[in-house]
Amino acid sequence: MPLLPPALRAFLVRVPLLVPIVRFLRRGPLARDRNLLVTLILLTLLIGGLAARVSMEWFSPALMIPITLVAGLQLRLNSLVKLLCAVAVSLTYVAVVRGVGYIGPGLLVTFGFTAVLAALMARTRGKLGVQGLRGDAMLLELRDRLKSQSDLPPLSKGWGSKVVLKQAGGSSFGGDFLVSMREGDTMELALVDVSGKGVDAGTRALLLSGTFGGLLGSVTDFLPACNTYLHRQREAEGFVTAVHLRLNLATGEYVITSAGHPPVVKFESGTGTWRVSTAKGVVLGVVPDLHCEADQGMLRKGDALMLYTDGLIEQPGRDIDAGLDRLLGEAERLMPSGFRDGARNLVASMSSGHNDDCALILIWRP
């Protein structure tokens, strides 16, 4: 036993009967689960014995409730069942020694609820193959990665940008996401909207964000490549719309392609009006070959581009064109306060009264 401390090895040599026990506890990949189970069972039986023979006030059977919760977070379901049997034995022993009245119905109901909750947690962790709160930590890490991926790369001097993402119901996950990259003076970004909202669409958005992020900048025709990937999937899980922007930061030239996405709008400082982009295409994953009608142009000083998802213009019982007109009307209020300060107010104004994922991207030349 080379991993044991020298003092403990010397003690075990003097007590040979303990050596097989220690080897059993250290054997196999489930040693941690087994050791924790033995510890919790011994602690449960100890509390039951002390409550029955010493004091119910100092060693209340209610102390077994946090033990059960710890087991639900750390043990496998089979091990949890063994611990619950030990809890039942301890409660029965207390009831026999102290009397049934010391184990009231309220305490039994609490134990029953705790046992069911612990079993559900152990069952969920068993499916995920994680221990403790590691599953929540993984979700938090995925959320942070998705948020960091939604940040635009630093732009050149003389450019400004603002990204606002608002998920339905205040969730950390949603069906709207952004992927972007910059190589030299060329910046590419894609705003994607997965059907559904909130957590329901969040899992698919996490998967597609990695795929689309890998394709962005690696292929010439970004949206057709995304369409080919989605069309190869065996199971259709709803539609996906996307808009792709390729922008030259040196000259201001841009190319917009769209696949079933709400149209991009451009603010022209010369006329002081918003112009709707003509880029259009079919929703991703529907047809095997996607053909997009691109819209090209140039951003001059004072111009801006606004990309958004349908959560800003779609409302129950209202036409999408009416929602677009309202969006452009609200966008006029951006001008006095500037694009940077007004973007979040625009999202808050357009999304009030309904619960849907919303995204807004503004890029401008001051």
Side-chain angles (χ1 to χ4, degrees):
M1 293 175 290
L3 297 179
L4 294 178
L8 182 57
R9 289 204 304 269
F11 174 75
L12 291 175
V13 170
R14 292 193 298 268
V15 189
L17 292 178
L18 294 179
V19 176
I21 298 177
V22 174
R23 286 179 176 173
F24 169 75
L25 293 177
R26 294 172 57 85
R27 185 177 57 197
L30 299 178
R32 182 180 181 275
D33 181 87
R34 183 169 55 247
N35 295 344
L36 181 59
L37 173 62
V38 172
T39 302
L40 294 180
I41 288 179
L42 291 177
L43 186 58
T44 299
L45 296 177
L46 179 62
I47 292 175
L50 293 175
R53 296 297 181 179
V54 180
S55 172
M56 287 283 291
E57 295 181 358
W58 286 92
F59 305 99
S60 172
L63 294 174
M64 303 178 197
I65 294 178
I67 294 178
T68 306
L69 291 176
V70 170
L73 287 172
Q74 298 293 336
L75 295 180
R76 296 179 301 122
L77 185 58
N78 293 338
S79 300
L80 176 63
V81 172
K82 298 176 183 178
L83 177 67
L84 294 178
C85 292
V87 171
V89 170
S90 297
L91 292 177
T92 302
Y93 182 68
V94 172
V96 171
V97 175
R98 290 282 184 173
V100 180
Y102 283 88
I103 306 297
L107 185 60
L108 293 178
V109 171
T110 304
F111 270 110
F113 176 79
T114 306
V116 172
L117 180 61
L120 291 175
M121 291 190 296
R123 183 172 177 268
T124 302
R125 288 189 302 101
K127 291 183 177 181
L128 293 175
V130 296
Q131 289 184 338
L133 300 176
R134 182 55 184 167
D136 295 337
M138 291 171 60
L139 287 176
L140 291 174
E141 185 176 351
L142 287 173
R143 179 203 63 184
D144 294 340
R145 286 179 179 271
L146 186 62
K147 284 187 175 181
S148 63
Q149 194 175 21
S150 297
D151 295 334
L152 288 177
L155 303 183
S156 305
K157 185 179 180 181
W159 289 89
S161 65
K162 182 67 175 179
V163 178
V164 181
L165 296 175
K166 180 181 178 183
Q167 313 300 356
S171 170
S172 298
F173 300 93
D176 298 345
F177 66 90
L178 167 70
V179 290
S180 60
M181 59 81 62
R182 178 185 173 184
E183 184 174 354
D185 289 330
T186 301
M187 185 191 71
E188 293 188 50
L189 64 87
L191 181 60
V192 185
D193 184 3
V194 178
S195 60
K197 59 184 179 181
V199 179
D200 296 335
T203 53
R204 194 175 182 215
L206 286 170
L207 173 65
L208 294 181
S209 65
T211 303
F212 288 7
L215 291 174
L216 190 69
S218 302
V219 295
T220 304
D221 299 324
F222 173 73
L223 290 184
C226 295
N227 180 78
T228 302
Y229 168 79
L230 289 175
H231 198 265
R232 286 201 308 260
Q233 304 305 305
R234 296 181 180 179
E235 298 180 0
E237 299 182 7
F239 62 86
V240 178
T241 68
V243 60
H244 174 238
L245 169 66
R246 181 180 289 111
L247 176 64
N248 189 313
L249 298 175
T251 63
E253 296 178 342
Y254 65 84
V255 178
I256 299 173
T257 52
S258 176
H261 204 81
V264 177
V265 291
K266 174 187 177 183
F267 177 76
E268 298 178 342
S269 58
T271 60
T273 58
W274 293 87
R275 182 180 66 83
V276 179
S277 171
T278 59
K280 59 183 178 179
V282 183
V283 174
L284 293 176
V286 176
V287 296
D289 296 322
L290 180 68
H291 299 283
C292 301
E293 296 183 13
D295 180 21
Q296 303 181 11
M298 178 178 293
L299 284 179
R300 297 178 172 82
K301 296 292 185 179
D303 292 354
L305 286 176
M306 182 166 63
L307 297 77
Y308 54 93
T309 56
D310 59 5
L312 289 180
I313 60 175
E314 247 185 13
Q315 293 188 16
R318 291 188 179 182
D319 186 65
I320 294 182
D321 292 336
L324 179 58
D325 292 339
R326 179 170 175 256
L327 174 66
L328 298 181
E330 291 290 333
E332 294 291 342
R333 300 169 53 188
L334 283 175
M335 300 312 300
S337 58
F339 294 111
R340 185 179 302 277
D341 297 332
R344 189 169 296 277
N345 294 332
L346 177 62
V347 172
S349 174
M350 293 299 300
S351 62
S352 62
H354 67 286
N355 187 27
D356 198 359
D357 297 331
C358 301
L360 176 71
I361 304 171
L362 274 170
I363 300 177
W364 66 90
R365 301 187 73 176

